[in-house]
Amino acid sequence: MIAKDMYELGSKRSSIRELFEYGKKRAAAIGAENVFDFSIGNPSVAPPPEVKEAILSLLTEKDAVALHGYTSAQGDYAVRKAICDDVNKRFATDFTADCFYMTAGAAASLTISLKALTVAGDEVITFAPFFPEYRVFVEAAGAKFVVVPMREPDFQIDFVQFQQCINEHTKAVIINSPNNPSGAVYTEKTICELCRILQEKEKEYGHPIYLISDEPYREIVYGDVVVPYVPNYYDDTVVCYSYSKSLSLPGERMGYILVSNKVQNAQEVYAAVCGAGRALGYVCAPSLFQMVVAKCAGMTSDLSVYAKNRDLLYRGLTELGFTCVKPDGAFYLFLKAKEKDAVAFCEKAKKYELLLVPGDDFAGPGYVRISYCVSTEQIERAMPAFAKLAAEYKK
Ligand code: PLP
């Protein structure tokens, strides 16, 4: 007898992956230039040149045995120190290298943190719309997943609904800003109100409620939008960071967990993070790329193409009569479907070779996610297809 829940997870693809595979088949059949695949969040810009330089210099200058060997389980000390120095400089914090635990991307950061922070019977809250894997990760840790419905049209937090979801079993709250799939960035006012409620509830229930800030898109923001640095607002914060999007390195699997030094019993929590990493079989994050991200601390890819794509897409779609909020960050646009059933809307879009993801998967029914981490040319070429889709609803 095998684990039925794991069998189910493994035997059906997420609808994003399903669509991505469908796109590949359509591209083979009618030519890639005729398929407008907006399904997946794979960065479309190359890593900065410093990444390649770092790899080459490490490969030529460092002892190969040490370079490819195990590091300590929580990551190489010098790597964690370089990242810590950069974070302290950027956010006026006073962390030490021992607050950082290197991981294989944000997915590992989240699964490790959830395993470390929760026990059976605990509840973990998140806000719709959310990255669908949260449910998988929370349930795999043995906790109950609780969703606060989305606040329209701005996708900030609905605090009335949040207050109805929080209770003495709430052990953690996951936030993701800039957000996948809405592109919303929580304002300072939203963060302050969230932290005020959490502080009040911690006192009322007499135990910590951890704020897990999932931040793979921290650096991808537009104009003068500021992403508040959550540990500066709430003591019991654990940051789950990733280099997948900021440095365009999703396939290299690199990120970290930051246990704020202000977390209650921070050393114990950090030890539990190390224990969870051990229990889940993460021996250490990939050694070569630990060294690479340390050398590139604070850098990003050239993110300007995402700003250009956002403007082009937003202008084009609103001119065609579609409704959406202009994203402040990440590289997703959450479009209101032209009919109640977003799945049916996405099926109609497929007729014009537009591959859009129904919002239902993100607990955002009635919306579709458009990933604009694609070439600008793809967006330009897709506009007539969007026009045909819009026309279908004018009939
Ligand atoms: N969290 C969010 C909100 C994401 O969008 C993603 C990936 O798209 C992840 C976590 C996982 O990131 P990683 O590739 O670093 O594991």
Side-chain angles (χ1 to χ4, degrees):
M1 169 106 127
I2 55 167
K4 193 164 167 281
D5 48 352
M6 293 299 121
Y7 167 78
E8 273 163 13
L9 269 182
S11 50
K12 62 170 197 279
R13 281 199 198 108
S14 75
S15 63
I16 302 174
R17 289 268 157 197
E18 202 70 65
L19 206 56
F20 183 59
E21 294 303 323
Y22 169 85
K24 282 200 283 195
K25 275 196 207 128
R26 288 301 291 157
I30 61 168
E33 69 286 3
N34 298 313
V35 181
F36 311 116
D37 187 350
F38 294 101
S39 66
I40 209 154
N42 222 352
S44 56
V45 291
E50 286 84 352
V51 165
K52 186 171 174 185
E53 284 157 24
I55 297 169
L56 291 177
S57 80
L58 285 163
L59 287 176
T60 47
E61 287 155 27
K62 249 197 124 97
D63 170 61
V65 176
L67 183 63
H68 300 294
Y70 295 123
T71 67
S72 47
Q74 65 265 52
D76 179 77
Y77 179 80
V79 168
R80 290 183 289 119
K81 174 85 172 68
I83 292 167
C84 176
D85 289 346
D86 174 61
V87 167
N88 284 339
K89 198 167 85 201
R90 283 161 67 201
F91 304 113
T93 46
D94 59 357
F95 302 131
T96 65
D98 288 335
C99 299
F100 290 79
Y101 178 100
M102 302 306 294
T103 64
S109 302
L110 287 160
T111 49
I112 293 171
S113 300
L114 288 162
K115 177 128 185 102
L117 298 175
T118 63
V119 296
D122 284 345
E123 297 185 5
V124 176
I125 297 179
T126 201
F127 304 93
F130 60 86
F131 178 55
E133 296 304 279
Y134 288 169
R135 181 184 297 280
V136 178
F137 298 162
V138 168
E139 289 176 355
K144 183 177 164 200
F145 188 57
V146 178
V147 178
V148 178
M150 65 182 166
R151 178 173 121 167
E152 296 175 81
D154 63 1
F155 306 112
Q156 297 287 311
I157 292 177
D158 183 331
F159 287 108
V160 175
Q161 303 247 33
F162 175 53
Q163 297 259 26
Q164 283 163 10
C165 290
I166 194 163
N167 63 45
E168 65 272 28
H169 302 294
T170 306
K171 181 59 80 63
V173 172
I174 306 176
I175 56 171
N176 168 225
S177 165
N179 183 266
N180 174 10
S182 71
V185 173
Y186 287 159
T187 61
E188 187 176 40
K189 189 164 164 252
T190 295
I191 294 293
C192 287
E193 180 60 2
L194 173 66
C195 297
R196 189 193 64 73
I197 296 172
L198 289 176
Q199 277 152 4
E200 197 180 281
K201 294 293 175 185
E202 279 197 336
K203 267 202 209 116
E204 186 182 333
Y205 303 138
H207 65 73
I209 302 174
Y210 300 101
L211 184 51
I212 300 177
S213 184
D214 178 27
E215 310 196 339
Y217 304 96
R218 165 161 287 281
E219 289 81 12
I220 309 179
V221 281
Y222 307 113
D224 52 7
V225 170
V226 175
V227 186
Y229 196 61
V230 185
N232 289 339
Y233 293 80
Y234 185 69
D235 288 352
D236 287 320
T237 296
V238 172
V239 175
C240 291
Y241 185 79
S242 162
Y243 294 94
S244 296
K245 320 286 172 167
S246 58
L247 280 178
S248 305
L249 294 173
E252 304 301 350
R253 314 306 302 135
M254 188 53 55
Y256 63 74
I257 297 167
L258 162 68
V259 176
S260 168
N261 50 3
K262 295 200 193 117
V263 164
Q264 297 174 50
N265 303 322
Q267 280 181 352
E268 270 175 37
V269 173
Y270 186 84
V273 163
C274 295
R278 183 177 167 194
L280 292 168
Y282 291 112
V283 177
C284 63
S287 306
L288 172 60
F289 271 85
Q290 283 192 46
M291 318 277 164
V292 171
V293 296
K295 278 182 178 274
C296 298
M299 293 175 196
T300 65
S301 308
D302 177 1
L303 306 171
S304 59
V305 67
Y306 301 136
K308 194 171 165 196
N309 288 359
R310 173 196 75 147
D311 291 344
L312 196 64
L313 199 57
Y314 178 76
R315 202 176 335 111
L317 293 175
T318 48
E319 276 172 14
L320 288 171
F322 287 103
T323 310
C324 56
V325 175
K326 195 170 188 182
D328 279 329
F331 37 53
Y332 307 104
L333 185 140
F334 216 39
L335 187 78
K336 191 120 178 111
K338 287 249 175 217
E339 61 184 292
K340 213 162 168 242
D341 181 351
V343 177
F345 177 79
C346 290
E347 280 306 311
K348 289 204 180 97
K350 264 186 182 169
K351 277 200 296 190
Y352 308 105
E353 307 301 343
L354 287 168
L355 308 189
L356 318 176
V357 184
D360 303 61
D361 282 20
F362 307 93
Y367 287 83
V368 299
R369 188 188 78 170
I370 303 180
S371 294
Y372 56 84
C373 44
V374 296
S375 69
T376 306
E377 200 210 336
Q378 176 177 321
I379 296 175
E380 284 161 350
R381 277 190 294 105
M383 276 306 154
F386 278 113
K388 283 183 203 150
L389 180 62
E392 186 156 332
Y393 287 91
K394 283 191 190 127
K395 277 178 201 161

